Amino acid sequence: MSVEVTRLPSGLRIVSESRPQLQTVAVGMWVDIGARHEPLKLNGITHCLEHMLFKGTKRRSARDIASEIESVGGQMNAYTSRDNTTYYARVMKDDLPLAFDVLADIILNSQCDDSELVREKEVILQEIGQALDTPDDIVFDHLQDAAFRDQAIGRSILGTAESVRSFSSADLRSYLTTNYTASNIVVSAVGNLEHKDLVALAEEKLAGLKNGEPSKASGARFTGGDIREKRELEQVHVTAAWPGVSFQDDNYYAMQVYSTILGGGMSSRLFQEVRENRGLAYSVYSFTSSHQDVGMLGIYAGTGPEMAEGMMPVIMGEMEALTKGPTEEEFKIAVAQLKSGLVMALEATTSRMEQMGRQMLVFDRLIPIEEMISNVEAVTPDDVARTASQVLAESDIAMAIVGGGDLDRITFS
Amino acid sequence: MSVEVTRLPSGLRIVSESRPQLQTVAVGMWVDIGARHEPLKLNGITHCLEHMLFKGTKRRSARDIASEIESVGGQMNAYTSRDNTTYYARVMKDDLPLAFDVLADIILNSQCDDSELVREKEVILQEIGQALDTPDDIVFDHLQDAAFRDQAIGRSILGTAESVRSFSSADLRSYLTTNYTASNIVVSAVGNLEHKDLVALAEEKLAGLKNGEPSKASGARFTGGDIREKRELEQVHVTAAWPGVSFQDDNYYAMQVYSTILGGGMSSRLFQEVRENRGLAYSVYSFTSSHQDVGMLGIYAGTGPEMAEGMMPVIMGEMEALTKGPTEEEFKIAVAQLKSGLVMALEATTSRMEQMGRQMLVFDRLIPIEEMISNVEAVTPDDVARTASQVLAESDIAMAIVGGGDLDRITFS
């Protein structure tokens, strides 16, 4: 496996990892624009634009875009996050030029046609409806909102029915031109390929990318908040979050070890105490999320309405107890899990392609696996205890609950 | 990559694919027992037993089971389907003996302790609650029920709150002894390993497996039915199914090509007409499911209550139209998608391990990739037209709907 990075004079970055033993290639174009860059009135436009890029270019109809890659047995898709937008394809190795041509075409030449937009808004309204019907999805949208009140980073990626209905095709074209610039884009590919061929494709097919300013998001701030939505459900879906770490934070790896011990696997404290010892939940875990400037440490548990009130003190008890530091065994387990997780993520082509694309956008360099592993190994049990205390010392807590029963009785005490 | 199969005198089967370039191994133990083998009173016991196998053996506590594989950075999990039960782990290559020892121990020596069972039933009741809260999960349980009324294969894998509460630890131990026999089990592993080492592990660690009768399920019959559940939701989740093909059916590959053309990808008829041309749904697709003796061809679409009535005739129109046969282009696309899907599935270690385990249980042999590809290539456009007509000629239709609006207005006409 050989990793290479090329920077074109335009600012476009191209990264690849060659794996000659494979039959396939995963290729993605990463755009440094996400929901957190949106002004309030345009909430959801990044995601709407992602949809519209499949609806026709100067050379290709929507149907052509769908069928060209599928006709060689490939798959193509896209997704929008709070930080960035990704278009990607997985194809047999000889079809990389075709996949690249289609991806480059939709990024450069999409028409954002009026009549297509009218129909695609309906599709997005259905997508919003589907998300609203999924309580253990929607509770995380509420948690993000509670954590970052009145900020773009706290809003839904899909936008609202109202905001989506308001977009014009001129809005979309302007958003595309402003943000899909050479310096905002990273091409990442993993599989049976040669780096120089990938660079040649980028030079040829993405020559039309304009220069422009790097996209800028307003700095985000963890505010905390409390959002509860009563629904007639079997379960109550409980989430809470505390200020966590940005990707740049010195404490980033200590936070990963802490979260792994707290609620990262079957041997974690939350799983053992909430599920195994007390049978309070089927699904209970902690998680971290990170952005360039902020992050969160969160917990989720789904339980019966009659048990929710009693569950929060159990969770808080485990968080308190961990401020005294991890046991030797659980510390060892967490470090081993994180290290092998890094190695295992390398083996799947699509997840490795995603990791490389994201690292270029966040750090403007690829982080060698050895560096990540030594960062994990540098964390000490004292770092974990300190991190556990820092999390609980924060007075700004976010909480979001969706479900049945008396939601007001669920507290942190 | 080299594939090997070994059959021990006990009836235990061991399959592996060696991939020396990897750092990891995925190993699974496949048991030929699933929800479809359950008598009505024991509905859910296969899944309950799968949970109880993590709750302690003669040598290991529940906590030991969770932490031993995690302490070397591995992951371990299990799932129950209508046809079989799978326990699997993914570990770094040197940890295969440890992973094998833990998996073999839980399969041979689980205690199914009373007090653990009391707690684990609570966890399963929470899991049932979580499934009930997810409309686009639960609609598929209803569809299976409507397709196979009053048969084990039509019932929920999780069981009901009532059936789960009724299980005793004696029930579980008896179910374990009867069904977890040598001839009912396949060991499958893919990764950096040598087959002879895997066989040696099986001979040593699984020597305690008893002989027994192969598990037998009653023959299933597609009955058709209609289950509608009104809920206050943003969407109405609509599913329908027709008799499909078993794994053994001569028409198996023609059905795959047909379903791919009908609703398998972005260029499929349902996606193009329902989503792209009419904006009626975000999520719309067809699917097949197969068992040893029966199967189904199904469709799913999620849409707004006000649009559901008009959507079914659009879907039925596409199904009718396809009885005239596919276009040359869409036929070519479907064949290419299926062929590359087979190759891509080979590349991920866990999915390849799963494929090999499942093939041994279904066919008692591994199907070479070349044979699968030539089966796909043997399908003709006429086969697709004939399959499309056969599906619609069936008078037994299953339908399941969960959602808002006037559900009675949704029909097939």
Side-chain angles (χ1 to χ4, degrees):
Chain A
M1 299 181 193
S2 73
V3 171
E4 290 187 71
V5 178
T6 298
R7 292 162 198 274
L8 298 186
S10 65
L12 182 73
R13 290 160 286 177
I14 302 145
V15 297
S16 77
E17 183 171 285
S18 172
R19 300 186 172 185
Q21 77 278 15
L22 298 182
Q23 302 293 312
T24 64
V25 177
V27 56
M29 298 195 183
W30 291 71
V31 190
D32 197 6
I33 187 82
R36 73 168 298 185
H37 299 92
E38 295 165 351
L40 178 57
K41 278 184 60 181
L42 295 181
N43 178 216
I45 197 170
T46 316
H47 172 260
C48 182
L49 180 61
E50 174 232 298
H51 273 238
M52 288 304 295
L53 258 56
F54 287 79
K55 303 300 287 182
T57 70
K58 299 186 184 80
R59 286 195 286 142
R60 286 180 173 95
S61 69
R63 196 188 179 91
D64 294 337
I65 293 169
S67 60
E68 276 194 47
I69 288 183
E70 289 190 346
S71 70
V72 295
Q75 294 150 4
M76 179 176 168
N77 216 329
Y79 53 88
T80 305
S81 73
R82 293 198 163 81
D83 299 298
N84 47 57
T85 312
T86 309
Y87 303 84
Y88 67 98
R90 187 159 176 229
V91 291
M92 304 303 289
K93 65 182 159 59
D94 293 337
D95 299 317
L96 176 61
L98 171 70
F100 202 103
D101 189 61
V102 175
L103 290 169
D105 190 29
I106 67 175
I107 277 178
L108 279 170
N109 305 316
S110 276
Q111 302 279 59
C112 299
D113 175 82
D114 266 327
S115 62
E116 292 285 359
L117 178 59
V118 170
R119 277 190 300 233
E120 201 57 25
K121 283 182 182 180
E122 293 300 318
V123 172
I124 295 171
L125 295 177
Q126 296 303 325
E127 187 178 3
I128 292 172
Q130 186 171 308
L132 290 172
D133 282 354
T134 311
D136 47 353
D137 274 5
I138 216 67
V139 73
F140 287 101
D141 265 8
H142 288 341
L143 183 66
Q144 188 80 9
D145 184 1
F148 302 104
R149 304 253 45 182
D150 302 320
Q151 299 168 69
I153 201 171
R155 288 194 277 269
S156 160
I157 293 165
L158 303 182
T160 64
E162 193 191 351
S163 68
V164 169
R165 285 206 182 92
S166 77
F167 303 147
S168 69
S169 46
D171 290 337
L172 289 158
R173 280 192 291 264
S174 151
Y175 199 79
L176 176 63
T177 313
T178 309
N179 295 300
Y180 282 52
T181 55
S183 55
N184 271 349
I185 294 180
V186 170
V187 174
S188 176
V190 174
N192 191 327
L193 61 87
E194 293 206 39
H195 185 73
K196 68 173 169 46
D197 298 337
L198 185 70
V199 172
L201 281 169
E203 284 173 329
E204 179 197 340
K205 309 280 188 190
L206 289 172
L209 278 178
K210 301 217 165 33
N211 292 314
E213 293 296 306
S215 55
K216 275 217 185 82
S218 331
R221 193 173 63 81
F222 192 106
T223 58
D226 192 332
I227 298 177
R228 294 167 192 234
E229 185 190 343
K230 175 132 178 96
R231 293 192 187 189
E232 291 309 318
L233 292 172
E234 297 290 323
Q235 290 213 309
V236 50
H237 303 270
V238 180
T239 61
W242 292 258
V245 291
S246 75
F247 281 121
Q248 319 290 344
D249 200 298
D250 290 341
N251 219 29
Y252 179 84
Y253 287 89
M255 183 64 81
Q256 307 312 314
V257 177
Y258 165 64
S259 178
T260 303
I261 294 169
L262 178 63
M266 282 169 53
S267 59
S268 70
R269 293 198 176 193
L270 292 182
F271 192 96
Q272 284 293 318
E273 190 59 26
V274 177
R275 175 167 159 167
E276 297 292 271
N277 292 344
R278 297 179 187 249
L280 289 172
Y282 169 66
S283 186
V284 54
Y285 56 85
S286 64
F287 63 93
T288 65
S289 76
S290 292
H291 305 274
Q292 282 283 11
D293 47 351
V294 286
M296 67 162 76
L297 177 281
I299 58 104
Y300 167 86
T303 190
E306 71 288 354
M307 300 202 281
E309 187 183 350
M311 184 183 63
M312 279 310 292
V314 176
I315 292 175
M316 295 309 298
E318 291 303 318
M319 292 183 71
E320 285 286 353
L322 195 44
T323 61
K324 302 195 176 68
T327 68
E328 201 175 318
E329 189 204 9
E330 67 187 353
F331 179 77
K332 197 190 91 184
I333 291 176
V335 169
Q337 281 182 286
L338 287 165
K339 283 163 60 179
S340 71
L342 291 167
V343 174
M344 291 182 186
L346 284 181
E347 287 188 354
T349 50
T350 302
S351 71
R352 174 62 174 151
M353 177 278 285
E354 294 181 319
Q355 183 190 56
M356 291 168 67
R358 205 176 295 115
Q359 284 181 349
M360 288 304 291
L361 288 185
V362 171
F363 301 106
D364 197 29
R365 70 180 183 105
L366 297 177
I367 317 284
I369 178 81
E370 298 76 16
E371 180 178 333
M372 289 189 277
I373 284 179
S374 76
N375 282 332
V376 172
E377 287 174 339
V379 175
T380 66
D382 283 350
D383 293 334
V384 173
R386 184 176 39 77
T387 303
S389 298
Q390 279 171 358
V391 165
L392 288 189
E394 298 287 348
S395 56
D396 299 325
I397 300 173
M399 193 151 182
I401 307 175
V402 175
D406 183 355
L407 304 189
D408 292 334
R409 298 177 69 111
I410 305 171
T411 64
F412 278 105
S413 57
Chain B
M1 298 184 195
S2 75
V3 171
E4 289 187 71
V5 178
T6 298
R7 293 163 198 273
L8 297 187
S10 65
L12 182 73
R13 290 161 285 176
I14 302 147
V15 298
S16 76
E17 183 171 286
S18 172
R19 301 188 172 183
Q21 77 279 13
L22 297 182
Q23 301 294 312
T24 65
V25 176
V27 56
M29 298 195 183
W30 290 72
V31 190
D32 198 6
I33 188 79
R36 74 169 298 185
H37 300 92
E38 296 166 351
L40 177 57
K41 277 184 61 181
L42 294 181
N43 178 215
I45 196 170
T46 317
H47 172 260
C48 183
L49 181 60
E50 175 232 297
H51 274 239
M52 288 306 294
L53 258 56
F54 287 80
K55 302 300 287 182
T57 69
K58 298 187 185 79
R59 285 195 287 141
R60 285 180 173 96
S61 69
R63 196 187 179 94
D64 293 337
I65 294 168
S67 60
E68 276 194 47
I69 289 184
E70 290 190 348
S71 71
V72 296
Q75 294 151 5
M76 181 178 168
N77 217 328
Y79 54 88
T80 305
S81 74
R82 293 198 164 79
D83 299 298
N84 46 57
T85 312
T86 310
Y87 303 83
Y88 66 99
R90 188 160 174 229
V91 292
M92 304 304 290
K93 65 181 161 56
D94 293 337
D95 299 318
L96 175 60
L98 171 69
F100 202 103
D101 188 62
V102 175
L103 290 169
D105 190 30
I106 67 174
I107 277 178
L108 279 170
N109 305 316
S110 275
Q111 302 279 59
C112 299
D113 174 82
D114 265 327
S115 63
E116 292 285 358
L117 178 59
V118 170
R119 277 189 301 233
E120 201 57 25
K121 283 182 182 180
E122 293 300 318
V123 172
I124 294 172
L125 295 177
Q126 296 303 324
E127 188 177 3
I128 291 173
Q130 186 172 308
L132 290 172
D133 282 353
T134 310
D136 48 353
D137 274 4
I138 214 68
V139 73
F140 287 101
D141 264 7
H142 289 340
L143 182 67
Q144 188 80 9
D145 185 1
F148 303 104
R149 303 251 49 179
D150 301 321
Q151 299 167 69
I153 202 172
R155 288 194 276 270
S156 160
I157 293 164
L158 302 184
T160 63
E162 193 190 350
S163 68
V164 169
R165 285 206 183 93
S166 77
F167 304 148
S168 68
S169 46
D171 290 337
L172 289 159
R173 279 191 293 262
S174 151
Y175 199 79
L176 175 64
T177 312
T178 310
N179 295 299
Y180 282 52
T181 55
S183 55
N184 271 350
I185 294 181
V186 170
V187 173
S188 176
V190 174
N192 191 327
L193 61 86
E194 293 205 42
H195 184 74
K196 67 172 171 46
D197 298 338
L198 186 68
V199 172
L201 280 169
E203 285 173 328
E204 179 197 340
K205 309 279 187 192
L206 288 172
L209 277 179
K210 301 216 163 35
N211 291 313
E213 292 298 303
S215 56
K216 273 213 186 85
S218 330
R221 194 173 63 80
F222 191 105
T223 57
D226 193 331
I227 298 177
R228 294 167 192 235
E229 184 190 344
K230 177 132 176 93
R231 292 192 189 188
E232 292 310 318
L233 293 172
E234 298 289 322
Q235 291 213 309
V236 50
H237 302 269
V238 180
T239 61
W242 292 259
V245 291
S246 75
F247 281 123
Q248 318 289 345
D249 200 299
D250 290 342
N251 219 29
Y252 180 86
Y253 286 90
M255 184 62 82
Q256 308 312 312
V257 177
Y258 165 65
S259 178
T260 303
I261 294 169
L262 178 63
M266 283 170 51
S267 60
S268 70
R269 291 196 177 193
L270 293 182
F271 191 96
Q272 284 294 317
E273 190 59 26
V274 177
R275 174 167 160 167
E276 296 292 271
N277 292 344
R278 297 178 187 250
L280 288 173
Y282 169 66
S283 186
V284 56
Y285 55 85
S286 64
F287 63 92
T288 65
S289 76
S290 292
H291 305 274
Q292 281 285 10
D293 48 350
V294 287
M296 68 162 75
L297 178 282
I299 57 107
Y300 166 87
T303 190
E306 70 290 351
M307 302 204 278
E309 188 182 349
M311 184 182 64
M312 277 311 292
V314 176
I315 291 175
M316 295 308 298
E318 291 302 317
M319 291 184 72
E320 285 287 354
L322 194 45
T323 62
K324 301 195 177 70
T327 67
E328 200 175 319
E329 189 204 10
E330 66 188 353
F331 179 76
K332 197 190 91 183
I333 291 176
V335 169
Q337 281 182 286
L338 286 165
K339 283 164 59 179
S340 71
L342 291 168
V343 175
M344 289 181 188
L346 284 181
E347 288 188 354
T349 49
T350 301
S351 72
R352 174 62 173 151
M353 177 277 286
E354 294 181 318
Q355 184 191 56
M356 291 168 63
R358 206 178 293 115
Q359 284 180 350
M360 288 304 292
L361 288 186
V362 172
F363 302 106
D364 197 29
R365 70 181 183 102
L366 297 178
I367 318 284
I369 178 82
E370 298 76 17
E371 180 179 333
M372 290 189 276
I373 285 179
S374 77
N375 283 332
V376 172
E377 286 173 341
V379 176
T380 66
D382 283 350
D383 293 333
V384 173
R386 182 175 41 75
T387 303
S389 298
Q390 280 173 358
V391 166
L392 288 190
E394 299 288 349
S395 56
D396 299 325
I397 299 174
M399 193 151 182
I401 307 176
V402 175
D406 183 356
L407 304 188
D408 292 334
R409 298 178 68 114
I410 305 172
T411 64
F412 279 105
S413 57

